[in-house]
Amino acid sequence: MKSRNLAYKVLFDIEKNQNYSNMAINKHFKDCNLDNRDRGFATEIIYGVVENKIYLDYIIDKLSKIKSNKLNLKVKILLRMGIYQILFLDSVSDYAAVNETVNLTKKLDNRSAGFVNAVLRNVIRQKEDIGEVKIKDTVDNLATKYSYNKWIVRNWISNFGREFTEDLLEANTERPSIYLRVNTLKTTRDELIKLLEDQEVNCEKVPFMDEAIKVNNLKNIENNELYKKGLFTVQDISSMLVGKILNPQKDTKVLDVCSAPGGKTTHIATLMENSGQVVSRDIFEHKIKLIQNSVNRLGLKNIDVQLFDALNLDKDSIDKFDSVLADVPCSGLGIIKRKPEIKYKEKEEIKDLPKLQKQILQNAAKYVKVGGTLIYSTCTIQDDENIEVVESFLQSNKRFQLEKIENINIDLENEDKGYLKIYPNVHGMDGFFIAKLKRVR
């Protein structure tokens, strides 16, 4: 009961306050006295409901006289939780799913307990075929089945074709892998694996990334002693590729114009072996604190964290840096596995992003010395935020050209053209775009 109650509180917070699931989980899990098993079960329900919201409402609408958009928010969340457990969780018996959900309803909204009980029992009675999406229109069908805002599915079918889109939607339903980046200033990969295995953590080396470890059962990371000592940080492989492609040299000057939460900044500083200088900037004070905390925990001495808006031009930084990273704000459509709320973004929310991205890239380019490197990266798979931004930039900046990507041990198409398009369904990692540009004059 306690884990379901916790899951309900988090889901209510997400819906009512438009909060991100990872932030809501951190907030509500902080002071709860549940063991790892119960925390894991609550997390499973939270992410399961968030990821399948539209689909679960479609099931509610099949069975309830009151449609999901007219339901009281409390009741809607409770029904989603119950239906998710019945249709998706083999580890939970149908009886327990109904019983526990009804008991929680009695506690939260007693008048609705009979209604919730009736709908959930109906789901069980029709379990064989109730889950099938019977919508003829392709876009509507896929958007309902996988729970996406329709414009995203329409956009992907138009850009990638139906087969690729279905493959991508399916890949995005998989639980994301957790990767650790070894802090090579404090330990080695082999040493860290041994220490983690002593904690009974299941570890795998990532063959093409020397400082990466894939872990399968590492819980409560921020309270882990090895994490607190700064022996590792959590970062996806796609994100690590950015630092590798930038390939910073010792004793050089690097600028990261949009650096929060600091994964790429601290990776770059580590690759430079604590030499030279990395100027790490962000627009938000609370994010600056996040970066500084990571810097301190990892024992990095070569990072200068600064509050600065990348949309403003810093005249004092013109022509001053050997390498500049513009990891710009984006739609996030490559990291849906990690932040499922992104599936429900409205088209309006992201329509002005290319304009913003172009402005940041234009400014970032001015800080690069002749012969220096400029990296443009995003965690999205949308061409209008990626290659089209770079091509538009190159048309008006003849001092730059794309440079062949050579210093990574992974075979991805377009490396020789100077950019990477990474897709979750093709490459098994977060969707990313990375372009390497060189200032030639």
Side-chain angles (χ1 to χ4, degrees):
M1 180 73 161
K2 279 182 181 173
S3 48
R4 287 180 175 87
N5 196 13
L6 180 62
Y8 168 82
K9 282 179 183 172
V10 174
L11 288 165
F12 191 83
D13 186 12
I14 291 167
E15 284 292 315
K16 193 162 175 27
N17 304 314
Q18 300 293 296
N19 209 345
Y20 271 124
S21 47
N22 57 341
M23 289 170 154
I25 284 171
N26 289 342
K27 183 171 95 180
H28 291 275
F29 278 42
K30 211 181 206 170
D31 304 315
C32 77
N33 55 348
L34 295 180
D35 61 24
N36 280 343
R37 189 163 162 264
D38 284 341
R39 281 168 176 255
F41 182 57
T43 306
E44 171 72 63
I45 291 175
I46 293 158
Y47 277 112
V49 168
V50 172
E51 285 165 7
N52 295 285
K53 195 164 73 171
I54 292 171
Y55 175 72
L56 294 169
D57 287 353
Y58 171 75
I59 305 293
I60 293 170
D61 290 344
K62 277 186 180 184
L63 298 171
S64 168
K65 285 176 184 169
I66 309 166
K67 296 304 170 201
S68 56
N69 60 354
K70 294 277 194 286
L71 280 173
N72 168 304
L73 182 58
K74 280 184 190 174
V75 177
K76 180 154 60 173
I77 290 169
L78 289 160
L79 280 175
R80 285 173 180 169
M81 285 172 63
I83 295 169
Y84 175 73
Q85 289 170 72
I86 294 166
L87 295 183
F88 288 86
L89 294 187
D90 295 335
S91 59
V92 179
S93 73
D94 292 348
Y95 170 79
V98 175
N99 216 26
E100 293 293 338
T101 307
V102 170
N103 285 341
L104 190 53
T105 309
K106 283 176 182 171
K107 188 177 158 190
L108 296 164
D109 186 356
N110 191 35
R111 291 171 311 163
S112 303
F115 170 71
V116 168
N117 183 48
V119 173
L120 295 183
R121 288 193 180 282
N122 241 332
V123 174
I124 294 167
R125 272 194 289 274
Q126 301 180 47
K127 199 173 176 182
E128 288 301 308
D129 59 359
I130 192 70
E132 195 185 335
V133 177
K134 294 176 178 174
I135 301 171
K136 284 184 178 167
D137 179 76
T138 301
V139 170
D140 204 355
N141 183 296
L142 292 174
T144 303
K145 182 180 175 184
Y146 292 99
S147 287
Y148 277 74
N149 207 324
K150 285 180 201 171
W151 77 263
I152 298 173
V153 176
R154 193 175 292 114
N155 175 285
W156 286 355
I157 289 175
S158 157
N159 288 328
F160 307 129
R162 178 175 173 164
E163 196 177 325
F164 187 96
T165 298
E166 285 202 52
D167 199 29
L168 177 57
L169 294 168
E170 193 59 46
N172 281 344
T173 66
E174 293 161 15
R175 282 279 172 268
S177 299
I178 296 174
Y179 294 95
L180 309 183
R181 193 187 81 236
V182 180
N183 183 1
T184 50
L185 300 174
K186 291 192 175 189
T187 188
T188 65
R189 179 159 71 172
D190 288 339
E191 281 171 9
L192 182 59
I193 286 174
K194 187 176 182 307
L195 291 167
L196 287 164
E197 285 177 343
D198 288 344
Q199 295 181 353
E200 298 184 350
V201 174
N202 192 336
C203 302
E204 285 175 51
K205 289 182 182 179
V206 177
F208 54 87
M209 186 69 70
D210 297 340
E211 58 269 66
I213 302 170
K214 181 181 178 182
V215 290
N216 298 322
N217 59 332
L218 182 59
K219 310 283 185 203
N220 211 356
I221 292 170
E222 287 186 2
N223 290 321
N224 188 292
E225 280 306 309
L226 305 175
Y227 176 84
K228 286 179 179 175
K229 286 177 185 171
L231 301 191
F232 70 83
T233 198
V234 179
Q235 189 177 10
D236 190 72
I237 300 296
S238 302
S239 178
M240 289 187 219
L241 281 171
V242 174
K244 289 293 206 181
I245 290 166
L246 187 134
N247 195 24
Q249 302 304 299
K250 286 182 78 172
D251 299 313
T252 55
K253 278 189 78 174
V254 180
L255 171 62
D256 182 353
V257 298
C258 305
S259 57
K264 298 177 190 73
T265 273
T266 53
H267 190 199
I268 290 163
T270 307
L271 289 168
M272 289 162 68
E273 297 174 30
N274 244 342
S275 71
Q277 185 192 34
V278 179
V279 175
S280 172
R281 291 178 172 171
D282 207 83
I283 186 176
F284 298 111
E285 276 196 45
H286 69 281
K287 290 191 174 179
I288 289 292
K289 284 178 189 161
L290 269 181
I291 300 164
Q292 194 61 61
N293 288 343
S294 288
V295 169
N296 297 344
R297 185 176 59 80
L298 296 167
L300 292 160
K301 309 290 184 201
N302 59 342
I303 297 182
D304 180 13
V305 184
Q306 300 176 356
L307 187 69
F308 193 81
D309 185 351
L311 286 168
N312 297 332
L313 180 66
D314 174 20
K315 290 179 179 170
D316 294 337
S317 292
I318 291 172
D319 297 338
K320 293 279 169 64
F321 290 90
D322 300 288
S323 304
V324 175
L325 168 61
D327 182 56
V328 297
C330 71
S331 60
L333 287 165
I335 56 167
I336 282 168
K337 270 189 206 181
R338 297 187 192 280
K339 292 187 175 175
E341 296 86 354
I342 289 168
K343 300 200 288 186
Y344 310 119
K345 278 191 175 181
E346 297 293 340
K347 201 172 185 178
E348 281 296 299
E349 286 179 70
I350 67 168
K351 70 175 173 57
D352 294 330
L353 280 171
K355 187 181 168 189
L356 173 99
Q357 291 156 346
K358 285 172 189 173
Q359 181 61 51
I360 291 173
L361 185 57
Q362 291 283 3
N363 285 347
K366 292 183 170 70
Y367 309 139
V368 184
K369 291 178 183 176
V370 174
T373 300
L374 172 63
I375 300 285
Y376 176 83
S377 65
T378 73
C379 56
T380 191
I381 56 173
Q382 305 300 99
D383 279 351
D384 63 337
E385 296 180 61
N386 293 338
I387 191 63
E388 289 172 24
V389 169
V390 171
E391 285 171 347
S392 165
F393 166 79
L394 289 171
Q395 279 170 10
S396 57
N397 289 270
K398 301 301 178 194
R399 298 184 304 165
F400 283 85
Q401 62 189 36
L402 282 162
E403 184 174 43
K404 187 177 180 181
I405 295 168
E406 295 182 296
N407 46 299
I408 55 168
N409 307 320
I410 177 170
D411 189 23
L412 293 165
E413 56 192 296
N414 298 317
E415 277 176 66
D416 55 335
K417 294 178 187 168
Y419 62 89
L420 304 181
K421 291 180 177 184
I422 303 171
Y423 299 100
N425 55 319
V426 178
H427 306 107
M429 54 179 113
D430 286 354
F432 251 71
F433 176 82
I434 308 165
K436 184 176 188 179
L437 301 141
K438 183 174 182 175
R439 183 174 167 190
V440 289
R441 55 186 166 88

